[in-house]
Every structure is written in structure tokens, then in C-alpha cells.
Amino acid sequence: MGERITSLWRAEADRLNLPSEDFWLFDSRMVALLKFDADNLVGVELITEPAEVVRYSMARDAATHHAVPYEEFAAGLAVKE
């Protein structure tokens, strides 16, 4: 079956006060905070401080809760064009 892909508009993420940075969460013990310049990934900051990991976990959970299936998101893109 594969992964379930969902998306969330940036405006909705802002309304929910979600962080704007891009990150990956590993085993609920480490966050990889991705650093970009205008076009490229330029670095990764690893975060293991428990309170910060929990904060990013909560952001991920909120984003997942409010995200919509890819097909629905893509249909919204077609409407905006």
C-alpha cells in the first residue's frame, strides 16, 4: 500500500502556530533541524534536548492532524490556478 501522503498549506500551519523550519523526527529522541540557503540544504542541527524534541513532536502531531490527503490538496492546487 505504501505511505499515506498528506499536505498542509503554509497559511494553515501559521494559523496553528506551527514552526516554519523543516525537520525530521527520529525515534522520538532526536530532531534533525534542516538548514537551507535560498536553494540548497546547507546543514543539519541535531537536537536531543528532551523538551525541544517534545515540542517538535507536538508540532508534527498537530500538522498531521490538520493535513489533508494528497489528492485533496492537489485538487485545491488546480482550483487556485
Side-chain angles (χ1 to χ4, degrees):
M1 179 104 184
E3 289 185 74
R4 179 176 167 251
I5 299 173
T6 59
S7 297
L8 183 68
W9 291 104
R10 180 71 248 167
E12 179 69 0
D14 290 343
R15 187 186 71 73
L16 296 167
N17 294 317
L18 297 177
S20 61
E21 59 264 17
D22 194 2
F23 63 92
W24 284 84
L25 196 59
F26 295 95
D27 296 333
S28 298
R29 294 181 300 193
M30 181 186 307
V31 174
L33 187 57
L34 308 177
K35 308 284 185 166
F36 293 91
D37 66 11
D39 299 312
N40 300 300
L41 177 67
V42 295
V44 177
E45 176 186 353
L46 297 180
I47 300 170
T48 57
E49 198 281 313
E52 283 297 296
V53 173
V54 167
R55 184 174 76 83
Y56 282 103
S57 296
M58 291 171 58
R60 184 259 338 258
D61 292 348
T64 300
H65 177 76
H66 291 279
V68 297
Y70 171 76
E71 295 77 15
E72 184 179 329
F73 186 82
L77 290 174
V79 170
K80 289 185 180 236
E81 292 177 357

